[in-house]
Amino acid sequence: MKIIKGVCAPGRTGFFFDDQRAIKAGAKADGASYSGSPVTSGFSAVRQAGESVSVLLILEDGQVAHGDCAAVQYSGAGGRDPLFLADDFIPVIEKEIFPALVGKEVTSFREMAGKLEEMKVNGKQLHTAIRYGVSQAILDAVAKSQHKLMCEVVAKEYELPLDAKLIPIFTQSGDDRYNNVDKMILKGAQVLPHGLINNVQTKLGEKGELLHEYVGWLRDRVLALRMGKDYLPVLHIDVYGTIGQAFGNHNYAGMADYLQTLEQAAKPLKLRIEGPMDVEEREGQMKALSALTKLLDERKIEVELVADEWCNTLEDIRYFADNKAGHMVQIKTPDLGGVGNTVEAVLYCKEKGIGAYQGGTCNETNRSAEVCVHLAMATRPDQILAKPGMGVDEGYMIVNNEMQRIIALLKNS
């Protein structure tokens, strides 16, 4: 089976590009927008519409393989690639990538995705968003050429068993961290709520008091609204380095004391805290997160730390996992480039005994979310992010329903 044509279509994502540095520096929410000026290069506003590019590979039998290029909400921050704008990058795909694919035989996913990862333009590797979307289309092309599910292709090429069971889904609330929690509980989400705690003054509290109050509210709300006593979701809250801002990035004892109070507030629910500090560079972030993880373990504080900032690439994930910088690593799928790297990252975390959270961003598309479900069904991470968007219903529906379709097909194959 050959690829006979490549087509690009510009699109919108399920959320926005946000200038994280500007928000941390005090840009204020103004309705659905933010006031103030952008700080990060490439941004024309603190918040601007998220953009995607659909990559469509037309096969010689008329089938169309499809993947979506997309980048994270906080592009250009934490060591990530710059802002991904469709008008800037469609010409790159059409000029550099399609000539390397059109007219070629569809072989294996690992071979074709590997060549994509190695491709360079002007001496530089392709933008992560391009590698992300094109590799999705390649995986779909291989699956369609073999008349298999994408998860079956991954499982076969990586010699993995396929288990027709649900993977816990993590839902994210955005700033509507109260009303959206009700939706999560009513839908039975296994992990919640993300929370978007990205400002000390308005969300964490100068002494952490606002987050402490919120964790207590979460516990009470789950117990009040749950349909049965066996529903005990994991509380997973992303704090975007604000605990380190409030207590000191290297004040491990102070942060541990505070996390212990959150642990008590969450009981009987399990608590995960993502990104407790952000020291603005990879080596320092690894060391700080590793030190805090070790201290929590020594003090038997049962709060799991999740690595996120500065842990972007496959190499980063291996580095953090090797040094136990966190109890769990977010594998933020667009940041890794080609989706084969997501597979490798999940498998490496499992090999090292560290939690694998196959994440991503609210700023993706329905297509990239669906492809990610296939990756997860083959590799079995500890949890998968409901995406795109921050409205709960849509992202949970997309990820849950694709997972249920795969399970039904596997059981009836």
Side-chain angles (χ1 to χ4, degrees):
M1 185 78 70
K2 290 183 178 180
I3 299 168
I4 62 169
K5 191 174 183 180
V7 176
C8 285
R12 291 296 194 198
T13 62
F15 203 63
F16 299 92
F17 290 125
D18 285 343
D19 184 345
Q20 187 185 64
R21 289 192 181 96
I23 293 169
K24 283 187 175 182
K28 303 298 183 184
D30 179 15
S33 186
Y34 280 92
S35 61
S37 300
V39 175
T40 302
S41 176
F43 279 81
S44 57
V46 176
R47 167 167 285 179
Q48 58 194 78
E51 300 186 18
S52 65
V53 175
S54 288
V55 176
L56 309 169
L57 301 179
I58 302 171
L59 307 183
E60 60 182 332
D61 65 352
Q63 294 186 92
V64 179
H66 171 203
D68 276 359
C69 302
V72 298
Q73 174 188 7
Y74 297 118
S75 291
R80 298 185 177 97
D81 274 357
L83 204 61
F84 181 77
L85 302 177
D87 285 347
D88 292 341
F89 288 100
I90 284 178
V92 177
I93 297 170
E94 292 176 338
K95 180 181 177 182
E96 304 293 343
I97 295 175
F98 285 162
L101 293 175
V102 173
K104 303 297 193 301
E105 195 75 28
V106 175
T107 56
S108 73
F109 167 67
R110 295 183 76 172
E111 178 186 347
M112 296 179 71
K115 290 179 179 178
L116 177 69
E117 286 294 297
E118 294 170 359
M119 188 179 294
K120 293 185 177 181
V121 176
N122 297 324
K124 295 182 179 180
Q125 194 172 30
L126 294 163
H127 193 291
T128 48
I130 292 179
R131 290 183 278 131
Y132 188 48
V134 176
S135 64
Q136 293 167 35
I138 287 171
L139 176 58
D140 193 25
V142 174
K144 282 182 163 62
S145 71
Q146 297 179 6
H147 301 287
K148 294 180 182 292
L149 297 173
M150 287 181 281
C151 62
E152 291 178 313
V153 170
V154 174
K156 179 182 177 182
E157 293 196 17
Y158 286 86
E159 299 181 345
L160 303 170
L162 267 178
D163 194 351
K165 293 181 181 178
L166 286 170
I167 296 164
I169 299 174
F170 173 30
T171 46
Q172 52 186 346
S173 65
D175 272 325
D176 196 2
R177 66 185 56 80
Y178 292 94
N179 290 330
N180 276 342
V181 164
D182 287 0
K183 296 180 184 180
M184 297 168 184
I185 297 168
L186 294 173
K187 290 179 183 290
Q190 299 93 340
V191 188
L192 57 92
H194 185 264
L196 198 65
I197 309 299
N198 60 359
N199 184 279
V200 172
Q201 288 73 28
T202 61
K203 298 176 182 179
L204 183 86
E206 296 288 355
K207 297 181 179 179
E209 69 278 3
L210 298 179
L211 178 56
H212 186 275
E213 179 184 342
Y214 180 59
V215 170
W217 178 87
L218 284 170
R219 173 205 61 211
D220 293 345
R221 198 63 176 164
V222 168
L223 299 181
L225 291 185
R226 63 182 180 173
M227 301 300 291
K229 291 185 177 180
D230 59 340
Y231 178 62
L232 294 168
V234 174
L235 302 183
H236 181 141
I237 301 172
D238 192 347
V239 300
Y240 295 89
T242 54
I243 293 177
Q245 282 183 275
F247 293 88
N249 282 333
H250 303 291
N251 179 11
Y252 307 125
M255 286 191 283
D257 289 343
Y258 175 65
L259 290 169
Q260 190 166 31
T261 70
L262 295 185
E263 175 193 16
Q264 296 303 315
K267 285 184 175 180
L269 305 179
K270 182 177 181 178
L271 178 64
R272 292 186 183 128
I273 296 293
E274 182 174 342
M277 79 288 287
D278 183 357
V279 304
E280 296 289 342
E281 55 95 10
R282 190 184 85 146
E283 178 77 7
Q285 182 74 2
M286 182 282 292
K287 289 181 176 178
L289 196 53
S290 180
L292 184 57
T293 301
K294 182 180 179 182
L295 183 57
L296 293 186
D297 291 346
E298 289 173 350
R299 292 179 53 178
K300 296 182 170 28
I301 297 172
E302 295 182 356
V303 175
E304 290 187 345
L305 301 181
V306 183
D308 179 15
E309 303 300 337
W310 301 97
C311 186
N312 303 322
T313 66
L314 176 58
E315 179 189 359
D316 294 338
I317 289 166
R318 287 171 173 162
Y319 182 54
F320 276 62
D322 287 344
N323 290 281
K324 202 178 180 185
H327 301 93
M328 173 179 277
V329 174
Q330 180 179 181
I331 298 157
K332 189 165 279 189
T333 54
D335 282 338
L336 271 73
V339 294
N341 290 330
T342 292
V343 174
E344 297 280 359
V346 173
L347 297 179
Y348 193 82
C349 287
K350 294 176 74 171
E351 177 188 330
K352 292 294 181 176
I354 191 168
Y357 156 30
Q358 187 186 295
T361 176
C362 53
N363 194 47
E364 293 190 53
T365 70
N366 60 307
R367 181 56 179 171
S368 66
E370 290 165 353
V371 176
C372 284
V373 173
H374 284 264
L375 305 177
M377 289 300 291
T379 59
R380 309 298 302 179
D382 295 281
Q383 65 185 42
I384 182 174
L385 181 65
K387 57 187 184 180
M390 287 288 199
V392 179
D393 302 293
E394 302 85 354
Y396 187 83
M397 172 192 68
I398 289 167
V399 170
N400 178 75
N401 291 4
E402 184 70 6
M403 199 181 300
Q404 294 284 10
R405 286 188 287 265
I406 293 168
I407 289 171
L409 289 169
L410 291 176
K411 286 182 175 178
N412 288 277
S413 61

